[in-house]
Amino acid sequence: MDKVFYRLDKQFGRILLVMIGLILVIYANTLNNGFVSDDIPAIVNNPKISHILSNGLNPCNLTNSLGYLIGKLNPAVYHLTNIILHSLNSILVFLFLRLFFRPWEAGWAVLIFAAHPVHTEAVSWISGRPYLFLSFFVLSSFLLYVSAVGSAKLNKLKYAASLGLYFFSLYSCIFALIFPGMLILYDLTFGLWRRNWKYWTAFLVLTGLKLWQMAGAIKQRVAEVSFDTGSSDLTNPLFNAVYSLFSHLGLLVWPAKLTFYHEPYSLSPAMLVIGVFSLLLIVLAMPFVFRRSRILFFAGGFFALFLAPTYSPVTISWLIAERYLYLPSMALSIFLAARLKKCSGGRKAKTTANLVMIFLLAACSLRTIIRNFDWKNHAAIWRATVKASPLSPKARNNMGDVHCGEGNLEKAVEQFKTAVELKPDYADAYHNLANTYQKMGRIEEAIRNYEKALSLNPRLYQSDTQLGIIYFNRGFRAQAGAYFQKAREIEE
C-alpha cells in the first residue's frame, strides 16, 4: 500500500511540474503587458489602491493593493498574481479529475485546461481576476465538501472549511452564488442526496443572506449592464440560453475567434429554431448519458449551471464573455479524461491518444501565446477586437480613443462615426466624437454632437462640462453657467 501511494505521489509531482512549467512558458509574455481597460480605474487611477484595510473582503482588491505595495504600478506584479492563481486552479482541477480518473487521463486533461486559449481573458487581463478567484474558492470548497461528507460520519472541520471558502467566494464574483447548485447536482448525480441533503442547508442559507445583503448591488449591476448593452428591456431567456450555450461551447471547441466583445448578438429565426431543437435533443439525451456515464452527465450540468446568469431575462451579465468560461471549461477536461479512459486499455490506442493530445496541447499553447500579445496594451487589445468584431460599436468607440491618443484625429472621427452608425443611441460615442471635433477646431459640429449625446443620456455630465467650456470661451457666461451647474448637480 505504501508503494502504491508513493507511486501516485510521484506521478502527481511529475504532472505538477510539467503543468506549472507549461503555464509559465505560455504566459511568460504577459509579464511585459501593461494595464488595459478596467485595469486603469481599478489600479492606476484608484486612490484607495494603497489602503489594504479599505478593501473589505474582496480578494481582487486586496491582491491589487498588495501588488501595489510590492511593485507600485509595475504591471508584471499584477500579471504574475494571475499566473499564480491560474496555476493553483489547474492543480485543483487535477485533484477534481483524480476523483474519477487515473493520473494519465487526468494529467492530459488538466494540461489542456492549463493551456486553453479561451482562458487568456481571465489570466492575461488583470481585471479578469474575479473569475480566477471564483474558480479557486469554488473548487477548493467543493473538494473539501466531498471529503467532509464522504464517510458515514461528517468531518466537521472540513465541512466548516468548505463553508468558509464559499463565504469568501461570494466576495470575489457574483457567479459564486451558483455554487450550492453544484453541490446539489453532484449529490443528485451520484446518488448521495438522501445522506447529504441536510448538508446543503448551511450553503443555501448563506446564499440567501448574501442575496439579501447584495440586493442594492445587484440592482446597480443590472443598471450598469443594461446601460452597457444599451437596453433595459426584458430579453427572451430561451434565445439567451441557446445563444449562450452554443456560442460558449463553440469557443471551447474551436477558439479561433477570440475577442473582447462578442457582438452583435444575432440569430436568424431559422437558426433559433435549429438551436432550440438541438438543445431539446440534448436535454432528452441526458437520461441516456446519465445511465452510461454519470461523470459526463455531471459535466454537462456543471457547464450549463455556471453559465446560468447569461440566460437571465434581466441583464445581470453579458450574453457571451470568454472569462465566464474559465470555470465551466472544466467540463471539457472531464470529457477529454473520459475519452482517454476508453483508450487506456490497449498499447496502440494509448500511443495514438498520446499523439493526439500532444498535437492538441501544442495547438492550444501556441494559440494562447499569440492571443497574449493582443493584451499587451490599450492599442493592441482594441485593434485585435475591431479586427475580430468589426460590427461591435463598443470596439469601434474604443478604437477611436486609440486613434485620438495617437494624434490621428481623422481616423478617430471615422471610428466614432462607425460606432454611432452601428448603434444610433450610443451617447458615449457621440460625446467622444464631439471631443474629437473640438480638438480639430470644428466647434459647431462639436456642439451638435454634445447636444446629441445629452439627448440620449441626460446624465452625461462630461458633455455638459464641455458645452460650458465652449460657451464660456465664446463669452456666453449665462449659458456656460447653466451647463456647469447641471454638470455639478449630476456629478454630486
Side-chain angles (χ1 to χ4, degrees), residues 15 18 22 94 97 102-114 333 336-337 340 350 353-362:
I15 292 170
V18 172
L22 174 70
F94 178 76
L97 293 171
R102 288 170 293 188
W104 176 70
E105 301 141 8
W108 272 122
V110 79
L111 287 176
I112 296 299
F113 176 88
S333 298
L336 289 173
L340 289 168
K350 195 169 183 179
N354 280 330
L355 292 173
V356 171
M357 294 308 294
I358 289 171
F359 173 78
L360 287 176
L361 184 60

Side-chain angles (χ1 to χ4, degrees), residues 312-368:
S312 172
V314 179
T315 50
I316 58 174
S317 70
W318 296 100
L319 190 53
I320 305 170
E322 291 157 28
R323 57 192 179 275
Y324 296 169
L325 265 175
Y326 186 81
L327 181 58
S329 71
M330 192 175 71
L332 176 64
S333 298
I334 296 171
F335 174 79
L336 289 173
R339 294 305 304 165
L340 289 168
K341 188 174 184 179
K342 293 183 177 295
C343 302
S344 60
R347 189 173 181 179
K348 186 176 180 181
K350 195 169 183 179
T351 300
T352 302
N354 280 330
L355 292 173
V356 171
M357 294 308 294
I358 289 171
F359 173 78
L360 287 176
L361 184 60
C364 284
S365 300
L366 181 61
R367 180 70 182 99
T368 295

Side-chain angles (χ1 to χ4, degrees), residues 141-267:
S141 181
F142 176 80
L143 290 170
L144 282 168
Y145 172 85
V146 171
S147 180
V149 303
S151 56
K153 186 178 180 181
L154 175 70
N155 187 316
K156 294 181 180 178
L157 182 61
K158 290 182 178 178
Y159 181 78
S162 174
L163 192 62
L165 285 167
Y166 174 54
F167 172 80
F168 283 110
S169 77
L170 294 171
Y171 289 89
S172 63
C173 180
I174 194 172
F175 281 50
L177 292 165
I178 300 168
F179 177 64
M182 178 185 179
L183 300 183
I184 295 169
L185 174 66
Y186 177 82
D187 286 336
L188 289 174
T189 301
F190 295 99
L192 305 172
W193 64 274
R194 289 184 180 87
R195 188 182 69 189
N196 294 344
W197 67 267
K198 54 186 173 292
Y199 303 132
W200 305 340
T201 306
F203 291 92
L204 292 171
V205 168
L206 192 57
T207 303
L209 290 173
K210 189 63 179 177
L211 280 170
W212 176 74
Q213 180 193 1
M214 292 175 61
I218 292 173
K219 187 177 180 180
Q220 183 180 354
R221 168 69 177 172
V222 170
E224 288 174 355
V225 176
S226 296
F227 180 78
D228 284 340
T229 57
S231 175
S232 58
D233 298 331
L234 293 178
T235 56
N236 185 340
L238 184 60
F239 170 89
N240 294 348
V242 168
Y243 200 91
S244 173
L245 282 171
F246 287 110
S247 296
H248 283 110
L249 184 61
L251 286 170
L252 265 187
V253 175
W254 190 253
K257 184 185 175 182
L258 299 180
T259 178
F260 196 79
Y261 291 126
H262 289 269
E263 57 178 6
Y265 307 136
S266 60
L267 201 62

Side-chain angles (χ1 to χ4, degrees), residues 444-461:
E444 294 303 325
E445 290 171 284
I447 291 172
R448 282 198 299 272
N449 282 279
Y450 283 133
E451 290 174 345
K452 179 66 175 179
L454 286 169
S455 71
L456 295 168
N457 180 11
R459 296 193 60 80
L460 194 60
Y461 68 88

